[in-house]
Amino acid sequence: MTEMTPVALRDICRELKQYNTPELNDKLYLHYKGWKNLDPCLGAYSGCKAIWLEGNGLQKIENLDGLKELRCLFAQQNLIETIEGLESNEQLDTINLSNNQITRIENLASLTKLNTLNLASNKIVEVEACSGLEECPSIAVLDVSNNRIDDPAILALLEDMPNLKVLHLSGNPVVRKIPNYRKTLVSRLKMLTYLDDRPVFDDERRCCEAWAVGGREAEKAERAAIQQEKDERDRANREAFRRMINESRARKGLAPVDDENLDSNIQRNVGEASDSTHTDISEASASDVSMGSDTEGDDSNSMASSPGQGRQKGESTASEGCSTDGESEDESRPDTRRRLEDDDASPAMTVPSQQPAVIPEALAALEADLAAATAMAAATEGVANLEELD
């Protein structure tokens, strides 16, 4: 399938159990089809909001004018050289053109709602080739990693992007040319929340901004201030906890605790709770064991006394008299008969002894058979030798 046709698009939608009516489909999965061009028949899918064109042989972005509702364009891993043909797609929010042949960022002025632009692994070299970023101030996520940008002036261009929050710049030669790369970018890009491989937290930003103003000494002072603020927050939380404990103790008529005894009281309460928990578990385990042993004892005693009781019952019934069928009145009842049969059968239950692994008689018979087979083979071999002599 090397050409995009209306029939091919309809077959793909049917295969993926989408709508036969083109404008009802809000997603088009057209990746890895081997297409080299985008056919005007795409315009029939006017309701499409996301289109996947990854892994084709596309050399140009074209014929997307009819997709007015398009929000996401995924055209990575193609042969696209220029950003173009998107002037009518004003609703675009995400564009992925990574792993292409793009050398310049341009034609983005009409995309006023563009939030994410991924141009990783392209062929962008000059800072001037990135000037198109100034035309699209709405960009918040920018990925230009693994290009060939080597001019530190790119930092001034990035500073002019008012909404830039996520930046991927690693893999470019410029990273090695900017001293204290991460601190510099964090301090100069005020809105940045994620840089390359990890997020930018508030404490890191404060330290980087202090470093930019006063160097390492200012950074150390800011770190000390951050630690002091953390200790003060912990102290405030501790005081609030102490007040809560004292209010509870006051309602119970107990003396309040001071800050020095707070730790000891907490540790003691925790220890008592832990000890009580272990005690409950131990008692429960001991009770389970004792109940099990009592049950086994009762079973064994009942088994030991059952035969005697059965015989005593039989003797007493025989001595008191017999019914017309030769059985007493109690023995004629089904439940009594079943209980007596169980009592009489219980002592007959024995555990079979383990049989020896090798039986001597069988071993002797096997040795005899082996000797006979050996003699027969020898006799046969002798006859064969005599025939050879003849």
PDB file of all heavy atoms in Angstrom, residues 61-65 83-89 107:
ATOM      1  N   ILE A  61       4.163  18.085   4.369  1.00  0.00           N
ATOM      2  CA  ILE A  61       2.880  18.193   5.052  1.00  0.00           C
ATOM      3  C   ILE A  61       1.923  18.932   4.118  1.00  0.00           C
ATOM      4  O   ILE A  61       2.131  20.107   3.798  1.00  0.00           O
ATOM      5  CB  ILE A  61       3.016  18.947   6.382  1.00  0.00           C
ATOM      6  CG1 ILE A  61       4.029  18.254   7.289  1.00  0.00           C
ATOM      7  CG2 ILE A  61       1.672  19.022   7.090  1.00  0.00           C
ATOM      8  CD1 ILE A  61       4.329  19.003   8.559  1.00  0.00           C
ATOM      9  N   GLU A  62       0.876  18.258   3.699  1.00  0.00           N
ATOM     10  CA  GLU A  62      -0.032  18.844   2.715  1.00  0.00           C
ATOM     11  C   GLU A  62      -1.420  18.242   2.851  1.00  0.00           C
ATOM     12  O   GLU A  62      -1.625  17.222   3.528  1.00  0.00           O
ATOM     13  CB  GLU A  62       0.501  18.593   1.297  1.00  0.00           C
ATOM     14  CG  GLU A  62       0.703  17.125   0.989  1.00  0.00           C
ATOM     15  CD  GLU A  62       1.332  16.885  -0.381  1.00  0.00           C
ATOM     16  OE1 GLU A  62       1.383  17.845  -1.177  1.00  0.00           O
ATOM     17  OE2 GLU A  62       1.754  15.749  -0.645  1.00  0.00           O
ATOM     18  N   ASN A  63      -2.379  18.933   2.227  1.00  0.00           N
ATOM     19  CA  ASN A  63      -3.761  18.447   2.117  1.00  0.00           C
ATOM     20  C   ASN A  63      -4.418  18.182   3.476  1.00  0.00           C
ATOM     21  O   ASN A  63      -5.219  17.261   3.623  1.00  0.00           O
ATOM     22  CB  ASN A  63      -3.816  17.178   1.259  1.00  0.00           C
ATOM     23  CG  ASN A  63      -3.393  17.430  -0.172  1.00  0.00           C
ATOM     24  OD1 ASN A  63      -3.728  18.454  -0.760  1.00  0.00           O
ATOM     25  ND2 ASN A  63      -2.623  16.498  -0.728  1.00  0.00           N
ATOM     26  N   LEU A  64      -4.074  18.997   4.469  1.00  0.00           N
ATOM     27  CA  LEU A  64      -4.734  18.922   5.768  1.00  0.00           C
ATOM     28  C   LEU A  64      -5.675  20.105   5.985  1.00  0.00           C
ATOM     29  O   LEU A  64      -6.163  20.310   7.092  1.00  0.00           O
ATOM     30  CB  LEU A  64      -3.686  18.885   6.892  1.00  0.00           C
ATOM     31  CG  LEU A  64      -2.726  17.692   6.909  1.00  0.00           C
ATOM     32  CD1 LEU A  64      -1.748  17.809   8.063  1.00  0.00           C
ATOM     33  CD2 LEU A  64      -3.495  16.369   7.001  1.00  0.00           C
ATOM     34  N   ASP A  65      -5.939  20.864   4.944  1.00  0.00           N
ATOM     35  CA  ASP A  65      -6.774  22.052   5.080  1.00  0.00           C
ATOM     36  C   ASP A  65      -8.186  21.708   5.520  1.00  0.00           C
ATOM     37  O   ASP A  65      -8.832  22.496   6.222  1.00  0.00           O
ATOM     38  CB  ASP A  65      -6.819  22.810   3.744  1.00  0.00           C
ATOM     39  CG  ASP A  65      -5.431  23.258   3.298  1.00  0.00           C
ATOM     40  OD1 ASP A  65      -4.537  23.302   4.158  1.00  0.00           O
ATOM     41  OD2 ASP A  65      -5.244  23.547   2.090  1.00  0.00           O
ATOM     42  N   ILE A  83       8.346  22.711   7.867  1.00  0.00           N
ATOM     43  CA  ILE A  83       7.074  22.845   8.573  1.00  0.00           C
ATOM     44  C   ILE A  83       6.178  23.753   7.738  1.00  0.00           C
ATOM     45  O   ILE A  83       6.429  24.959   7.619  1.00  0.00           O
ATOM     46  CB  ILE A  83       7.285  23.437   9.984  1.00  0.00           C
ATOM     47  CG1 ILE A  83       8.254  22.565  10.784  1.00  0.00           C
ATOM     48  CG2 ILE A  83       5.955  23.554  10.714  1.00  0.00           C
ATOM     49  CD1 ILE A  83       8.612  23.139  12.138  1.00  0.00           C
ATOM     50  N   GLU A  84       5.142  23.192   7.164  1.00  0.00           N
ATOM     51  CA  GLU A  84       4.271  23.949   6.271  1.00  0.00           C
ATOM     52  C   GLU A  84       2.916  23.276   6.182  1.00  0.00           C
ATOM     53  O   GLU A  84       2.700  22.192   6.729  1.00  0.00           O
ATOM     54  CB  GLU A  84       4.887  24.016   4.865  1.00  0.00           C
ATOM     55  CG  GLU A  84       5.135  22.651   4.258  1.00  0.00           C
ATOM     56  CD  GLU A  84       5.832  22.720   2.913  1.00  0.00           C
ATOM     57  OE1 GLU A  84       5.866  23.820   2.322  1.00  0.00           O
ATOM     58  OE2 GLU A  84       6.335  21.679   2.446  1.00  0.00           O
ATOM     59  N   GLY A  85       1.994  23.952   5.514  1.00  0.00           N
ATOM     60  CA  GLY A  85       0.689  23.365   5.262  1.00  0.00           C
ATOM     61  C   GLY A  85      -0.218  23.279   6.466  1.00  0.00           C
ATOM     62  O   GLY A  85      -1.187  22.514   6.456  1.00  0.00           O
ATOM     63  N   LEU A  86       0.052  24.046   7.525  1.00  0.00           N
ATOM     64  CA  LEU A  86      -0.748  23.979   8.751  1.00  0.00           C
ATOM     65  C   LEU A  86      -1.485  25.292   9.029  1.00  0.00           C
ATOM     66  O   LEU A  86      -2.015  25.475  10.131  1.00  0.00           O
ATOM     67  CB  LEU A  86       0.153  23.629   9.945  1.00  0.00           C
ATOM     68  CG  LEU A  86       0.923  22.309   9.848  1.00  0.00           C
ATOM     69  CD1 LEU A  86       1.867  22.156  11.027  1.00  0.00           C
ATOM     70  CD2 LEU A  86      -0.041  21.125   9.776  1.00  0.00           C
ATOM     71  N   GLU A  87      -1.513  26.188   8.083  1.00  0.00           N
ATOM     72  CA  GLU A  87      -2.114  27.493   8.312  1.00  0.00           C
ATOM     73  C   GLU A  87      -3.605  27.401   8.621  1.00  0.00           C
ATOM     74  O   GLU A  87      -4.147  28.245   9.358  1.00  0.00           O
ATOM     75  CB  GLU A  87      -1.899  28.389   7.081  1.00  0.00           C
ATOM     76  CG  GLU A  87      -0.458  28.800   6.850  1.00  0.00           C
ATOM     77  CD  GLU A  87       0.374  27.696   6.200  1.00  0.00           C
ATOM     78  OE1 GLU A  87      -0.221  26.684   5.744  1.00  0.00           O
ATOM     79  OE2 GLU A  87       1.609  27.840   6.146  1.00  0.00           O
ATOM     80  N   SER A  88      -4.285  26.401   8.089  1.00  0.00           N
ATOM     81  CA  SER A  88      -5.731  26.268   8.299  1.00  0.00           C
ATOM     82  C   SER A  88      -6.075  25.468   9.552  1.00  0.00           C
ATOM     83  O   SER A  88      -7.256  25.409   9.931  1.00  0.00           O
ATOM     84  CB  SER A  88      -6.373  25.596   7.080  1.00  0.00           C
ATOM     85  OG  SER A  88      -6.163  26.357   5.905  1.00  0.00           O
ATOM     86  N   ASN A  89      -5.088  24.867  10.184  1.00  0.00           N
ATOM     87  CA  ASN A  89      -5.336  24.020  11.369  1.00  0.00           C
ATOM     88  C   ASN A  89      -5.093  24.832  12.640  1.00  0.00           C
ATOM     89  O   ASN A  89      -4.176  24.551  13.415  1.00  0.00           O
ATOM     90  CB  ASN A  89      -4.445  22.783  11.330  1.00  0.00           C
ATOM     91  CG  ASN A  89      -4.539  22.038  10.013  1.00  0.00           C
ATOM     92  OD1 ASN A  89      -3.606  22.040   9.207  1.00  0.00           O
ATOM     93  ND2 ASN A  89      -5.684  21.411   9.777  1.00  0.00           N
ATOM     94  N   ASN A 107       6.624  29.016  10.079  1.00  0.00           N
ATOM     95  CA  ASN A 107       5.214  28.861   9.707  1.00  0.00           C
ATOM     96  C   ASN A 107       4.341  28.408  10.880  1.00  0.00           C
ATOM     97  O   ASN A 107       3.475  27.537  10.740  1.00  0.00           O
ATOM     98  CB  ASN A 107       5.070  27.872   8.541  1.00  0.00           C
ATOM     99  CG  ASN A 107       5.810  28.322   7.303  1.00  0.00           C
ATOM    100  OD1 ASN A 107       5.848  29.514   6.986  1.00  0.00           O
ATOM    101  ND2 ASN A 107       6.422  27.371   6.600  1.00  0.00           N
TER     102      ASN A 107
END
